[in-house]
Every structure is written in structure tokens, then in C-alpha cells.
Amino acid sequence: MTGAVDLSALKERAQAAPAGPPTANGVSAASAAVVEVTEANFEAEVLARSTQVPVVVELYAASMPASAVFSPALDSLAVAGNGSWVLARVNVDSDPRIAQAFGVQALPAVVAVAAGRPLADFDGDEPQLGQWIDAVLQATAGKLSGPPQSEAEGEQEEPEDPRFVAAETALSEGDLAGAEAAYQVILDAEPANVQALGAIRQVRFIARVQDLDPDAVARADAEPADVAAQLDAADMELYSQQPEAAFARLIETIRRTAGDDRNSARTRLLELFELFDPADPIVIAARRKLASALY
């Protein structure tokens, strides 16, 4: 079964059909070592792909389990091939015209396709599959364009911004003041730099918490009228991974205070909100409660 077989009719049908589905794990078929092929994606997964690497087409019938005898071995070989060739699996029960196009008379059938045309068919036992695929790869070496470069390979790593490197170095050394100053330099030049803005907020929060009394929460609970104590306790709760408790404490302080005390509690609450993604459900819920406390 050499290049005498004409697959152009399947190409024409594929152009009129909808695109094929992704593979079961959610990865596009174009990036998989093994793909399920139908008339809808035959052009992309067999004809077009075979201009890059050889495509080994396995034809089987779901109604005949024995016809998939080569499947486990082919799966393993395809994965081990690491993109040097692709296994295209065709269920002839649902796509009989693909089998007809290849002139298949009996199942199982395994055909190698290169440059859009059949190259060779496999006529042997399972242990010989690896040798046959090696022969196909040798026969097509240097004649196809090769695997497409992945997006990750095509991207060049951007050099690190020395300003952020300086800030992160200071932070790793425990120099919070130096880290804040470094991030401030970035913000002075780029006031809208989201990364620097988020980082400097975190640094300021950590610096503030480091000076707190470890018993800040207990002290605030014992003195509910002490607004400064409530602010410290909220910081400590947030630092202890209890954001709901921190937000609730400040909202309750806002609810029962007025004037400067209320403004102080509200300002601190908004500062804590800024440490989170605005779309965080915890923040959204707390903002609703804040509105209720204010109005």
C-alpha cells in the first residue's frame, strides 16, 4: 500500500465537517501523541500532520475487540516516540470511508502516512511494531518539516527586571525597609505598576505586624472599645490566616463607632482588602457587610 492510494476525497469531506473534539484529558489533539481520528479531523490530524512527522494510522472496529490487538503496544511506542511520530486511531465502525480510502480489506490494519500519502502498511506480529516504526522514521528522515515548535519553546525568557531583583533580594534578607524603598522607586517611575503596588502593600503589612504584641487579639477582645487594639488584632488575625475574623472585627468596630474612630477602622479594612484579589469571595462578602455597617 504505497502512495498510489488517493486520500483527497477525505480531505474534501473534512473541510465541510465541523472540527473534531479535544482529547479526553482536555488537551488539544494537536499536542497529543495519540489522537482519535474521524472524517472531521482527518485532514488536520493525518494529512497536514504527516507533512511534519510520520503518522501511523491504526484502523480497528469497536464492535470487534480483537481488532485492537496492537493498541496497547502502539500507545506505548507513541508516547516513547516523544513527538517523532503520531498515532492516529480510527474506529471504522463510525468512519468506514477512511478504511475504504486506505483500501483496507481486513482488521487490524496499521498504515504509515507521510507527506499526505500512505507510505507503508504493517504486516507482522506485535513484537515487530517497534522495528517497523523505526524503519518508517528512517525512510522519512530529513524529508518532513519536523514537529512544530511548542509555544513554550518558541518563547524567549524575558530578562529579570533589576529593580525587582533588588527589592526581592532585600526582602529575602529580611530588610523590609530596603524592600519597601526598592518597590517605591519602581512606583515613582511607574505609578500604575500592579506588581510593585501589590508587593509594597505586602511589605508594609508584614512590617506592621512584626511590631505587634503576640497577645493583640486577646487584648482587643478584653477591651472592645479600644479602636487601636481592634486594628492591631485584625492585623494579627489576618497574619494568622483568619481573614474572615479580621474583616468581621473591623466591620463590627465600624458599626459601633463614629467620627475619627470609624474612619480609622474603615481605612484599615480597605488596606486589608487590597492584599487580596478583588474578586475573592471573602472580600466580596466583607464589602457587602461593610456597606451595611456604613449605611
Side-chain angles (χ1 to χ4, degrees), residues 47 54 133 181 289:
L47 299 184
I133 290 172
K289 294 175 181 177

Side-chain angles (χ1 to χ4, degrees), residues 34-133:
V34 182
V35 294
E36 295 294 332
V37 170
T38 65
E39 285 192 37
N41 64 355
F42 183 85
E43 179 184 1
E45 299 298 351
V46 177
L47 299 184
R49 186 82 78 88
S50 71
T51 65
Q52 301 167 344
V53 295
V55 175
V56 173
V57 180
E58 178 193 12
L59 299 107
Y60 73 101
S63 59
M64 299 169 53
S67 68
V69 62
F70 295 135
S71 295
L74 286 170
D75 283 344
S76 298
L77 290 168
V79 173
N82 197 30
S84 59
W85 62 279
V86 172
L87 172 61
R89 185 163 284 138
V90 178
N91 177 6
V92 301
D93 285 341
S94 56
D95 289 277
R97 287 184 292 191
I98 296 180
Q100 294 169 8
F102 279 111
V104 171
Q105 300 297 318
L107 298 176
V110 179
V111 184
V113 178
R117 302 188 70 83
L119 176 68
D121 56 350
F122 177 68
D123 183 15
D125 297 325
E126 180 183 324
Q128 300 171 306
L129 274 170
Q131 296 177 349
W132 178 74
I133 290 172

Side-chain angles (χ1 to χ4, degrees), residues 147-224:
Q149 189 178 42
S150 70
E151 183 177 344
E153 292 172 343
E155 293 177 351
Q156 294 185 352
E157 185 176 350
E158 295 183 6
E160 291 187 273
D161 187 327
R163 301 173 302 171
F164 281 98
V165 172
E168 290 161 5
T169 299
L171 193 58
S172 66
E173 294 174 351
D175 182 6
L176 297 179
E180 181 178 351
Y183 285 124
Q184 188 60 56
V185 167
I186 300 173
L187 289 172
D188 288 342
E190 303 173 33
N193 190 303
V194 175
Q195 183 180 352
L197 189 59
I200 201 169
R201 288 169 176 163
Q202 294 281 350
V203 170
R204 287 170 177 166
F205 173 73
I206 294 171
R208 190 169 70 222
V209 171
Q210 284 193 337
D211 295 331
L212 291 181
D213 181 347
D215 297 326
V217 174
R219 185 165 61 85
D221 289 343
E223 304 177 40

